Amino acid sequence: MKKHTVVLTALMLLGVQTVTAQSNQLDKGPGMIGAESPVYGLEVAMDNAAVSIGLAKAGEIAKERAAEAQKAADNNNTAAAAKAGKQLEKVAQRAGENESESIEVAMNSFQDTITEMEMRIDNAPNENAREGMETALENMRNALQNMEQARQRGNQTGSQRPENISENRPNRPDRRPGNMTEEQEADDNQTAGNITGENNPGENQTRNRTQSDRT
């Protein structure tokens, strides 16, 4: 009985680990041209054009760039991984609000790539290679930081929608005649009468003369 319980528990743990691993993996592989290629810019330009005309989603292209960074890292090409990361940053800025999940997956994958490269830096064959890896890693970290800051700004902007702005405006009395209360109308009429009598002495004199003539 205990043996079966142990086996069942092990299978359950294995299943949980498998699901977790799958959720952390990209569902989109690298493009036809890798970041190591001298014509990698052509691949990027075609993908960006597809995003511009609506044939591709920026979030999906971001995951493709993250996969290219991972592939370059697997080939110990840190510079190419940094190049893919920079393009990942650029395409992430073009993603819509409904693509936040795809961008997050791409960013998590890119973070894993950076972590892997940091672990390999001690195995650099020489000092020049080490310096090159450090420079590339710094560029990768900056790209990831820029993406995170852009995502935070997007979240803050989304929370301050126009319909909520009116709630923060001070209440001002509506002085349009159609919405004027009876008290406001009476006060205005009284004020107008006082102003007319005080500011037009000639009119009062004319009335007094008219009354004297009649007498």
Side-chain angles (χ1 to χ4, degrees):
M1 184 66 179
K2 291 182 179 180
K3 182 178 180 181
H4 291 293
T5 303
V6 172
V7 172
L8 180 60
T9 303
L11 290 175
M12 291 176 63
L13 291 174
L14 180 61
V16 171
Q17 292 176 355
T18 302
V19 171
T20 304
Q22 290 178 349
S23 64
N24 291 332
Q25 291 179 353
L26 295 169
D27 57 0
K28 190 174 184 65
M32 297 179 61
I33 302 175
E36 304 94 331
S37 174
V39 293
Y40 178 63
L42 178 61
E43 169 84 10
V44 172
M46 292 176 62
D47 287 340
N48 290 343
V51 172
S52 298
I53 62 178
L55 294 180
K57 293 184 177 181
E60 294 301 312
I61 299 301
K63 291 193 287 187
E64 185 174 316
R65 298 288 91 89
E68 291 162 355
Q70 179 63 57
K71 182 179 179 181
D74 292 341
N75 295 332
N76 290 323
N77 193 332
T78 314
K83 185 188 298 185
K86 186 62 178 178
Q87 296 302 326
L88 166 58
E89 176 192 349
K90 291 181 178 179
V91 74
Q93 295 175 358
R94 305 175 62 181
E97 294 181 359
N98 59 340
E99 299 182 78
S100 58
E101 184 176 353
S102 297
I103 297 301
E104 185 175 359
V105 171
M107 289 175 60
N108 290 339
S109 175
F110 190 52
Q111 176 63 71
D112 292 340
T113 301
I114 294 175
T115 302
E116 291 179 12
M117 297 307 301
E118 288 174 339
M119 296 173 62
R120 299 176 190 174
I121 197 169
D122 291 335
N123 298 325
N126 52 60
E127 187 63 25
N128 290 335
R130 181 184 180 88
E131 291 179 357
M133 291 179 66
E134 289 177 346
T135 301
L137 280 171
E138 185 64 23
N139 294 335
M140 294 167 73
R141 296 188 195 99
N142 291 337
L144 186 63
Q145 182 179 6
N146 292 338
M147 283 186 283
E148 183 62 33
Q149 291 176 350
R151 187 172 65 167
Q152 291 177 359
R153 287 195 298 268
N155 293 337
Q156 292 175 357
T157 303
S159 62
Q160 297 177 353
R161 295 181 179 179
E163 57 266 26
N164 296 331
I165 296 177
S166 59
E167 299 177 358
N168 299 327
R169 291 178 179 174
N171 294 327
R172 297 179 179 177
D174 192 351
R175 298 188 179 277
R176 292 178 298 176
N179 297 332
M180 187 178 294
T181 64
E182 293 180 359
E183 295 179 357
Q184 291 173 339
E185 186 175 2
D187 292 341
D188 287 351
N189 291 337
Q190 183 177 0
T191 303
N194 294 335
I195 294 175
T196 302
E198 295 174 358
N199 297 339
N200 295 282
E203 183 178 352
N204 294 335
Q205 295 175 0
T206 302
R207 290 178 182 176
N208 294 333
R209 291 174 183 172
T210 304
Q211 292 176 357
S212 300
D213 294 340
R214 289 178 182 177
T215 304

